[in-house]
Amino acid sequence: MEPQTEKLVQYLAHMTSLGILDCRNPLLAAHQFMGMLNEPSLWPWMIGREGLPLAAEDVVEETLRTFLQRYRLPQSKGNSKDDAR
């Protein structure tokens, strides 16, 4: 496994142990995250087409929002939902 992937897997497992995320399979979650980041540019390139006309910042922001919508545990009362960002 690539060192960057391993670090992300360890981070997701750690955040799960702290009760912040619910990643039952951190390896799968890491690959899902990276896949969402790579898909808009990688797949068009692989089939010989130009990447989608999307700003990198938009891809990253929406990937984070989607990932956290699935994996972030609900915040306890007294914490704002922006604290985990």
Side-chain angles (χ1 to χ4, degrees):
M1 191 177 332
E2 294 180 15
Q4 299 87 349
T5 304
E6 181 60 32
K7 287 179 184 179
L8 181 56
V9 170
Q10 290 173 1
Y11 178 75
L12 295 175
H14 177 68
M15 296 302 280
T16 297
S17 74
L18 294 176
I20 296 169
L21 297 179
D22 180 20
C23 292
R24 295 179 193 141
N25 185 336
L27 177 61
L28 174 60
H31 280 275
Q32 289 172 326
F33 181 76
M34 293 183 304
M36 286 189 289
L37 287 174
N38 288 324
E39 194 281 333
S41 60
L42 181 62
W43 282 108
W45 175 77
M46 288 183 73
I47 60 173
R49 296 187 179 165
E50 291 186 30
L52 298 175
L54 301 170
E57 296 83 15
D58 292 341
V59 172
V60 171
E61 183 175 330
E62 290 304 314
T63 296
L64 286 168
R65 291 171 60 98
T66 300
F67 186 85
L68 291 175
Q69 183 70 32
R70 164 56 185 94
Y71 287 109
R72 182 171 45 191
L73 289 172
Q75 299 287 309
S76 62
K77 291 184 179 180
N79 293 338
S80 74
K81 65 181 184 180
D82 290 336
D83 288 346
R85 285 187 183 182

